Amino acid sequence: MGKFLGRFLILIVVGAVGVGVIVSLFMSQQRPERANAAPRPVAVFVDEARLDTIALQVSSQGEARPRTQINLVPQVAGRITFVNPDFIEGGFFEAGETLVQIDDADYRLAVTRASAQVAQAQQALVREQAESELAASEWAELGEGEASSLTLREPQLAEARAQLAAAEAALQAARLDLQRTRISAPFSGRVRTKSADLGQYVSPGTPLGEVFSTDAVLVRLPLTDHELGLLGIPIAYNAGGDGEGMPVELSAALGGSQQTWQGRITRTDSAIDPQTRVLYAIAEVTDPYGAGASNGTPLAVGLFVTANITGRDVENAYILPRSALRGQNSVYVAEEGGTLSVRTVDVIDSNSERVVVSSGVRGGEMVVISPIRGASDGMRIQTFDAAGEMIAAYSATYDEDDTAEGLAETETGEADSDAVASAG
């Protein structure tokens, strides 16, 4: 029992000595001094907000269509005896030019017969007038009282006059049918399709081809309610006379180069599209194959074009780079001394290059155009221009006495100075 107790006491002494040694080593170890991380302002690129008067622009797209397009159909039957050499797909023709001629032999004979009937009716009328005059003379010599209409042959005279009118109408119809054997268009234009040719027998209503006028080309451009407001176009817009309307520039890549045509918005559609909820504006280009062509390149029917419409002028507008806009209506502004200010702006218009706002910034202020992670009011920043030169007035100084939890980083995940170096 004594032997066991002695071993137990030895174990206790050894354990106590070990614990004491460990405690002594831990207490004698020097604690590491905490290094104060000097704050590093966030490096950003900035650009100047400009105060200016700007003409708002809206971009849209549409297909060029002819203002007038019709199907050529005959009004009389017959065999085609002549086809104009220009009556082919893509051919040009003048107003009133004969495009198709139908065999007119039967119609010329009909005119001859109708002319003969007119001559007969005229002779009958002359004879009846003579008999009526003779009857009136005889009654004046031999009769008593007032003569009846039958006695004076007035019904017979009226019938002769009616027969002459009918014969003249038949002659006019025969001549009209003869004229209709020559088929033409009432405008100058081009042939889109051709569906009949020489020697073919056609009846009234048979399609001969499709033609369109070249005096003007129309482009229907869809506009949203917001875009209508930018342009200042009312829903029931109508420019009125020739040469009036809002200017529009139409462009398309054609033949390996960019072509542009100048036109005008002349009116809007009568109703809003129930499917897309947009209102179509009608752009018109006059004489697209002549004076309205782009360096000799016409605005061809069926071409899909992009339209840039110049709208109303906005005075005292602030113009910022597109990259300055954060979300829908926020902008970061660099204050003097190197602090960040988060502003809310009223956006009037924006595109891929610039933003137009009416409030929230002032002309000459520096807006941040580079990405920032965790931006907040009062954040310390260092500003750089597009050339990578630091703008001292809008940059925070580096203070060794301040402390911070860590380095602020840009959205690329690198330290701000590295981001500026790489961006420069």
Side-chain angles (χ1 to χ4, degrees):
M1 182 67 181
K3 186 178 181 180
F4 175 77
L5 182 60
R7 290 181 178 179
F8 179 73
L9 290 175
I10 293 172
L11 291 174
I12 292 176
V13 172
V14 172
V17 172
V19 171
V21 172
I22 294 174
V23 172
S24 176
L25 290 174
F26 179 77
M27 294 298 292
S28 64
Q29 184 179 7
Q30 294 183 352
R31 293 191 177 186
E33 295 183 1
R34 181 176 180 181
N36 293 331
R40 299 179 64 183
V42 178
V44 296
F45 283 101
V46 296
D47 202 348
E48 184 178 355
R50 294 187 296 107
L51 175 63
D52 200 356
T53 298
I54 186 171
L56 299 180
Q57 289 191 336
V58 170
S59 180
S60 186
Q61 293 179 320
E63 180 185 351
R65 301 178 180 179
R67 180 162 64 179
T68 305
Q69 180 170 299
I70 62 172
N71 289 320
L72 280 183
V73 294
Q75 293 179 275
V76 296
R79 185 174 59 87
I80 296 176
T81 58
F82 169 78
V83 175
N84 193 311
D86 293 327
F87 187 59
I88 55 176
E89 285 83 353
F92 287 86
F93 59 87
E94 299 296 328
E97 182 180 0
T98 300
L99 300 178
V100 175
Q101 176 69 54
I102 295 177
D103 186 7
D104 62 354
D106 293 339
Y107 299 98
R108 285 188 283 105
L109 291 175
V111 169
T112 302
R113 285 194 297 267
S115 298
Q117 291 176 356
V118 168
Q120 291 176 356
Q122 288 174 339
Q123 292 299 322
L125 177 60
V126 170
R127 184 173 59 253
E128 197 59 48
Q129 286 175 337
E131 291 181 359
S132 177
E133 291 174 358
L134 180 61
S137 177
E138 290 177 350
W139 180 263
E141 294 178 359
L142 303 175
E144 296 182 358
E146 186 176 356
S148 65
S149 59
L150 288 175
T151 301
L152 299 178
R153 299 185 64 84
E154 291 179 355
Q156 293 86 340
L157 182 60
E159 181 181 5
R161 287 172 177 164
Q163 292 292 340
L164 177 59
E168 289 175 342
L171 175 59
Q172 186 177 358
R175 287 173 175 170
L176 188 59
D177 286 342
L178 179 60
Q179 292 177 0
R180 288 171 175 170
T181 60
R182 188 183 70 87
I183 301 171
S184 62
F187 50 77
S188 299
R190 298 191 71 181
V191 180
R192 192 161 193 172
T193 61
K194 176 184 177 183
S195 52
D197 215 330
L198 187 67
Q200 181 177 343
Y201 182 87
V202 294
S203 57
T206 301
L208 303 179
E210 192 176 44
V211 298
F212 62 86
S213 65
T214 55
D215 60 335
V217 168
L218 306 180
V219 182
R220 298 178 72 243
L221 303 171
L223 298 175
T224 64
D225 182 68
H226 174 68
E227 291 170 337
L228 290 172
L230 294 179
L231 298 175
I233 294 180
I235 292 180
Y237 177 73
N238 191 345
D242 294 337
E244 300 295 330
M246 185 170 296
V248 56
E249 182 181 83
L250 306 173
S251 61
L254 192 63
S257 60
Q258 194 74 10
Q259 304 292 341
T260 59
W261 301 269
Q262 303 301 321
R264 292 189 174 274
I265 301 294
T266 58
R267 65 185 186 278
T268 57
D269 265 359
S270 58
I272 295 175
D273 192 307
Q275 302 296 326
T276 60
R277 311 310 303 170
V278 299
L279 183 67
Y280 283 88
I282 311 301
E284 180 175 323
V285 176
T286 304
D287 194 13
Y289 290 87
S294 171
N295 298 320
T297 303
L299 178 55
V301 171
L303 186 64
F304 198 76
V305 296
T306 299
N308 291 317
I309 312 169
T310 302
R312 59 187 176 91
D313 292 337
V314 178
E315 297 181 352
N316 300 324
Y318 301 98
I319 306 170
L320 318 175
R322 181 64 179 83
S323 55
L325 186 64
R326 318 287 169 153
Q328 293 184 343
N329 58 354
S330 293
V331 170
Y332 300 157
V333 177
E335 301 283 3
E336 290 188 4
T339 58
L340 186 72
S341 175
V342 180
R343 308 276 186 86
T344 299
V345 295
D346 293 323
V347 179
I348 299 176
D349 185 33
S350 66
N351 57 30
S352 60
E353 297 179 355
R354 57 106 176 103
V355 179
V356 181
V357 301
S358 60
S359 63
V361 296
R362 296 185 300 273
E365 287 190 315
M366 295 296 178
V367 293
V368 178
I369 59 175
S370 59
I372 304 178
R373 175 176 296 175
S376 61
D377 275 319
M379 173 184 287
R380 292 161 54 82
I381 58 175
Q382 283 187 332
T383 61
F384 295 81
D385 60 19
E389 297 293 332
M390 187 176 72
I391 306 175
Y394 295 92
S395 298
T397 58
Y398 187 82
D399 193 349
E400 293 288 351
D401 296 333
D402 293 338
T403 60
E405 293 297 328
L407 299 180
E409 295 182 351
T410 64
E411 291 182 359
T412 60
E414 299 294 331
D416 298 316
S417 59
D418 295 337
V420 171
S422 62

